[in-house]
Amino acid sequence: MRGPTAHTDSFARDNLPPQSQWPDFLLDGFDYPERLNAAVELTDAMVEKGFGDNTALIGNGRRRTYKELTDWSNRIAHALVENYGVKPGNRVLIRSANNPAMVACWLGATKAGAVVVNTMPMLRAGELGQIVDKAEVQFALCDTRIKDELIACGKASRFLKTIIGFDGTANHDAELDRIALNKPVKFDAVETGRDDVALLGFTSGTTGEPKATMHFHRDLLIIADAYAKEVLAVRPD
């Protein structure tokens, strides 16, 4: 039985497969509350637990602490909601290589209650278009260094209307960065449900059209609380 949702845009929940087709979820010992925002648990909650000065990310030539990542993702969340009108449940596509700025964008969009659609940076306009159409993506955040294919996709799309550039380097020299720099470092994140969809992960489409796997907020935390803790035995140090 699915719990409460904070999504005002119900697209993701409406398109879940019938519950009879779901796998068996082995959730014993993972007693997450009904209201859960994975991005908050990975950032703000870490600061509250005393890990604010610990390294969260290494990239672009420097280390970023949990406090830095918390503050920056909160600024981004403010910008997405207040300047671009992102609503809970809206799909937000992210186009970028792996870098700290991309992580902050993912966290910010998730705090805003959006359903993030991560994409591989090598995809071209036609391939992006299949993903945009299937997920009915309205918003996209893009590293400005690889924006051309996404802009071409947007011109041909009846869904994608807002493409927002961010700086994938450490310079904060792009549209989203400049807006976010003027925002507060505190953000009241959307109180999503533990089984609200947080992420759509698309297959590459090598065997046909790309297909989306749908991940709940609790699924993302179980990666850390089960696999990282119990299998990899990751420690704070």
Side-chain angles (χ1 to χ4, degrees):
M1 187 69 181
R2 285 173 294 215
T5 178
H7 288 177
T8 56
D9 177 345
S10 63
F11 174 88
R13 182 165 283 207
D14 292 345
N15 283 280
L16 286 166
Q19 201 140 5
S20 61
Q21 296 178 13
W22 289 21
D24 294 327
F25 291 112
L26 307 179
L27 298 175
D28 289 346
F30 300 104
D31 301 316
Y32 298 115
E34 285 193 333
R35 295 288 182 178
L36 184 73
N37 188 301
V40 172
E41 296 302 314
L42 295 171
T43 54
D44 304 71
M46 294 296 290
V47 174
E48 291 174 6
K49 292 174 183 176
F51 295 108
D53 292 333
N54 286 34
T55 299
L57 293 174
I58 302 171
N60 284 345
R62 63 183 288 262
R63 294 172 181 263
R64 285 162 181 78
T65 66
Y66 279 99
K67 180 65 166 63
E68 289 178 299
L69 190 58
T70 297
D71 291 353
W72 187 237
S73 57
N74 283 340
R75 290 178 188 268
I76 290 173
H78 274 290
L80 295 178
V81 172
E82 295 161 11
N83 292 76
Y84 298 104
V86 172
K87 300 287 193 299
N90 288 166
R91 274 71 63 215
V92 174
L93 181 145
I94 298 180
R95 175 171 169 79
S96 176
N98 285 334
N99 56 57
M102 180 273 289
V103 176
C105 284
W106 178 81
L107 290 165
T110 303
K111 289 179 179 183
V115 177
V116 175
V117 182
N118 282 340
T119 58
M120 295 179 289
M122 296 301 291
L123 296 181
R124 305 293 293 271
E127 297 162 321
L128 289 165
Q130 290 183 312
I131 292 172
V132 166
D133 288 348
K134 185 159 286 187
E136 297 187 8
V137 173
Q138 306 103 307
F139 301 90
L141 310 181
C142 186
D143 187 326
T144 53
R145 297 172 293 179
I146 54 171
K147 64 182 180 181
D148 291 349
E149 292 293 331
L150 187 59
I151 290 173
C153 168
K155 289 179 178 177
S157 174
R158 63 192 180 97
F159 297 110
L160 180 56
K161 303 304 178 187
T162 304
I163 298 174
I164 309 159
F166 68 87
D167 190 343
T169 73
N171 296 327
H172 297 311
D173 187 22
E175 177 186 348
L176 180 60
D177 305 80
R178 289 190 286 269
I179 292 172
L181 281 169
N182 293 312
K183 298 297 185 182
V185 298
K186 298 291 186 182
F187 179 76
D188 292 328
V190 173
E191 293 185 349
T192 40
R194 64 188 173 200
D195 54 6
D196 270 335
V197 176
L199 181 70
L200 296 179
F202 273 86
T203 62
S204 62
T206 51
T207 58
E209 286 189 13
K211 303 167 187 66
T213 56
M214 308 176 82
H215 304 272
F216 299 147
H217 280 261
R218 62 168 163 78
D219 300 335
L220 304 180
L221 294 183
I222 285 175
I223 296 169
D225 293 336
Y227 179 68
K229 181 179 179 181
E230 298 179 8
V231 179
L232 300 182
V234 172
R235 302 186 308 270
D237 58 349

